[in-house]
Amino acid sequence: MELIDRSTWPREEHYRFFQAMSHPFYSLTFPVDVTALRTYVKGHGLPFYPAMVYQVLQAMDDVEAFRLRDRNGTIVRHDKLVPSFTDLKPGSELFHIVTLPAGEDMADFCRRAKDRSKRQTCLIDDHDWEDQLVYFTCVPWFPITALTNQRDVNPSDTIPRAAWGRWEEREGRTILGLSLELNHRLLDGYHVGQFCAALNARLSALEADQSHPQAVLKNAEIPGVRKQDTVTENQLRIGSAPASPFMG
């Protein structure tokens, strides 16, 4: 974790603008092509839900702005984020919340998540993580076009929320509506565009080479996105973050 020096922080003016608002939150939902992920998990005997959690979390890790948190005016940047997601045991109507590090391997995370969920006997297990969390939920019984979560109205709450519903088949592709709830103090539409590019690149990598599930960004010219290895630039579904702050 690193403290951000607000006296030299390029976002300071924007932060103060949204800091004055009692409700700086916004939500948006957009379609994601998860055909490659669905094919991969079916072929490797993995559950789709934690695999999607893993991919979304890794894409957020790729974008620096998603790793920032507001601690009542103190801005920190985390090195890694930690997923905290709802789950249901077979035959139960009551969800519980599972929290564990993602690690560096999707299949390993799916196995650990399944085991932790199975063993958990309480609503929320004790853990030592603070605001490096990302909250996930899923409503797999129907598609969603919008979703908001309950929260205490704390304007400094900068933990992202991610959710999705049931996928839909469209012209031979599997499309999933992904909903994000974010805090405008730290995240603009431009950063969501960076996240979309990172997520689509990761999913495209699965489609390009099903034998390498850890394929990630390489030399993608997306400002603010970590440059990593394996995926080449021409595998990006969107070549760069949108030039317009209105996602245009």
Side-chain angles (χ1 to χ4, degrees), residues 68-216:
L68 297 177
R69 297 292 184 267
D70 182 1
R71 295 180 174 178
N72 296 312
T74 298
I75 309 301
V76 302
R77 178 171 54 232
H78 291 292
D79 297 322
K80 285 284 188 180
L81 301 174
V82 176
S84 185
F85 58 94
T86 62
D87 199 9
L88 280 174
K89 287 183 168 59
S92 176
E93 296 180 358
L94 299 175
F95 69 90
H96 55 286
I97 299 172
V98 183
T99 306
L100 74 164
E104 301 298 329
D105 182 85
M106 183 172 71
D108 177 66
F109 172 72
C110 289
R111 288 189 289 268
R112 289 186 294 108
K114 182 178 179 180
D115 180 67
R116 174 72 65 87
S117 180
K118 182 178 179 180
R119 291 188 290 107
Q120 187 165 317
T121 58
C122 54
L123 172 60
I124 305 175
D125 207 356
D126 291 334
H127 57 76
D128 297 327
W129 297 287
E130 299 180 71
D131 53 6
Q132 61 264 61
L133 298 174
V134 177
Y135 297 147
F136 290 89
T137 194
C138 176
V139 283
W141 305 279
F142 47 84
I144 64 170
T145 56
L147 184 146
T148 57
N149 284 277
Q150 77 296 328
R151 66 167 74 232
D152 289 326
V153 185
N154 173 10
S156 292
D157 180 358
T158 45
I159 294 178
R161 276 79 164 162
W164 52 87
R166 185 174 182 81
W167 60 55
E168 298 179 282
E169 299 293 343
R170 300 180 190 172
E171 300 180 351
R173 307 296 294 182
T174 303
I175 307 300
L176 191 68
L178 175 61
S179 175
L180 299 179
E181 287 184 84
L182 307 170
N183 191 318
H184 229 322
R185 287 185 180 185
L186 301 179
L187 289 163
D188 302 329
Y190 185 84
H191 305 116
V192 179
Q194 293 178 318
F195 162 77
C196 287
L199 179 60
N200 285 328
R202 288 179 171 276
L203 298 179
S204 294
L206 291 176
E207 190 165 43
D209 187 352
Q210 292 284 351
S211 66
H212 294 285
Q214 299 313 308
V216 291

